[in-house]
Amino acid sequence: EPEVTQTPSHQVTQMGQEVILRCVPISNHLYFYWYRQILGQKVEFLVSFYNNEISEKSEIFDDQFSVERPDGSNFTLKIRSTKLEDSAMYFCASTPGRGNSPLHFGNGTRLTVT
Amino acid sequence: RKEVEQDPGPFNVPEGATVAFNCTYSNSASQSFFWYRQDCRKEPKLLMSVYSSGNEDGRFTAQLNRASQYISLLIRDSKLSDSATYLCVVSRYSSASKIIFGSGTRLSIRP
């Protein structure tokens, strides 16, 4: 069964550094998402991406965040200047369509900001 | 009021028991409903979609009550491997950002 893959599985960085989290969505999917989950808290929407542009973003997704699909397969989340509170699990997801299609999640990147 | 609310639990039940979770949602325009399970520090995995007529997948039964705006999940003959957090997910077609996760209900099955 096709999977969403994410790398790295764990990233440790110092406050103020830039990080790039990488995702390869399922190949025939058209909608891509980033979610985050702070330890012990709920899964929170960050951003959705379709047709090479952001379709929606949450209030969490401020100017320090950006997303890109640099080629036909990768989907990246960049955090420009990390803060301690950015420490969380970051999940990439994809769907073939919107709304009634369930999300297919990658296994996540655990980001630790020290 | 939260958009999607779940009893956080934990539910601690013996193996073989039947356990039920409820989830309520606030927006009547919600159109798609799912149950996911999440193991500790892992990604959410789709357990089942929830259809208006109710649906069953083996030991799992999901029900939707649009009038009362709640979704339920019933697990029969629970197994040790059912121990996880169960997430209720509600979405509206018109908005990708409106795929909202509940906080989850923790289930622990004891031998």
Side-chain angles (χ1 to χ4, degrees), chain B residues 3 6 24 29-30 37 40-41 47 49 51 62 65-66 74 98 102 110:
Chain B
E3 283 208 61
Q6 294 183 250
T24 57
S30 300
R37 72 169 275 166
C40 190
R41 294 180 182 253
L47 182 65
S49 302
Y51 302 119
N65 185 319
R66 286 189 187 272
L74 183 79
K98 294 305 178 184
R110 62 180 187 271

Side-chain angles (χ1 to χ4, degrees), chain A residues 26-33 35 48-51 55-56 93-104, chain B residues 32 34 36 91-97 99:
Chain A
I26 294 173
S27 62
N28 63 345
H29 285 190
L30 301 177
Y31 294 84
F32 315 122
Y33 309 83
Y35 285 79
S48 61
F49 193 87
Y50 170 70
N51 200 25
S55 45
E56 288 177 279
S94 68
T95 61
R98 197 163 69 174
N100 60 343
S101 302
L103 295 163
H104 297 256
Chain B
S32 294
F34 309 95
Y36 280 73
S91 79
R92 298 202 288 277
Y93 294 162
S94 61
S95 172
S97 66
I99 303 174

Side-chain angles (χ1 to χ4, degrees), chain A residues 102-105, chain B residues 6 19 21 33-39 43-51 55-62 71-76 81-89 101 105 107:
Chain A
L103 295 163
H104 297 256
F105 284 91
Chain B
Q6 294 183 250
V19 61
F21 308 135
F33 310 92
F34 309 95
W35 284 103
Y36 280 73
R37 72 169 275 166
Q38 186 175 28
D39 294 291
E43 76 276 21
K45 290 189 175 173
L46 178 69
L47 182 65
M48 58 198 301
S49 302
V50 186
Y51 302 119
N55 47 301
E56 191 174 301
D57 183 0
R59 297 181 293 108
F60 300 86
T61 301
I71 309 137
S72 64
L73 177 68
L74 183 79
I75 306 175
R76 287 183 300 278
S81 56
D82 294 333
S83 296
T85 296
Y86 289 83
L87 307 175
C88 173
V89 180
F101 284 73
T105 299
L107 174 65

Side-chain angles (χ1 to χ4, degrees), chain A residues 12-107:
Chain A
V12 182
T13 190
Q14 287 192 322
M15 198 166 56
Q17 295 296 304
E18 175 182 288
V19 294
I20 297 176
L21 311 183
R22 301 180 192 280
C23 170
V24 179
I26 294 173
S27 62
N28 63 345
H29 285 190
L30 301 177
Y31 294 84
F32 315 122
Y33 309 83
W34 283 101
Y35 285 79
R36 80 168 186 195
Q37 187 175 33
I38 295 169
L39 186 63
Q41 297 188 24
K42 64 189 289 186
V43 176
E44 298 175 293
F45 170 76
L46 291 178
V47 66
S48 61
F49 193 87
Y50 170 70
N51 200 25
N52 283 319
E53 59 183 24
I54 290 174
S55 45
E56 288 177 279
K57 58 185 181 179
S58 72
E59 55 273 11
I60 302 169
F61 194 89
D62 61 22
D63 291 344
Q64 68 165 333
F65 291 93
S66 62
V67 289
E68 199 176 31
R69 189 153 161 84
D71 52 44
S73 58
N74 289 284
F75 177 51
T76 60
L77 174 69
K78 183 192 290 186
I79 309 175
R80 251 179 289 282
S81 177
T82 49
K83 307 186 187 87
L84 294 175
E85 54 266 34
D86 294 328
S87 295
M89 283 290 284
Y90 288 81
F91 294 110
C92 174
S94 68
T95 61
R98 197 163 69 174
N100 60 343
S101 302
L103 295 163
H104 297 256
F105 284 91
N107 52 10

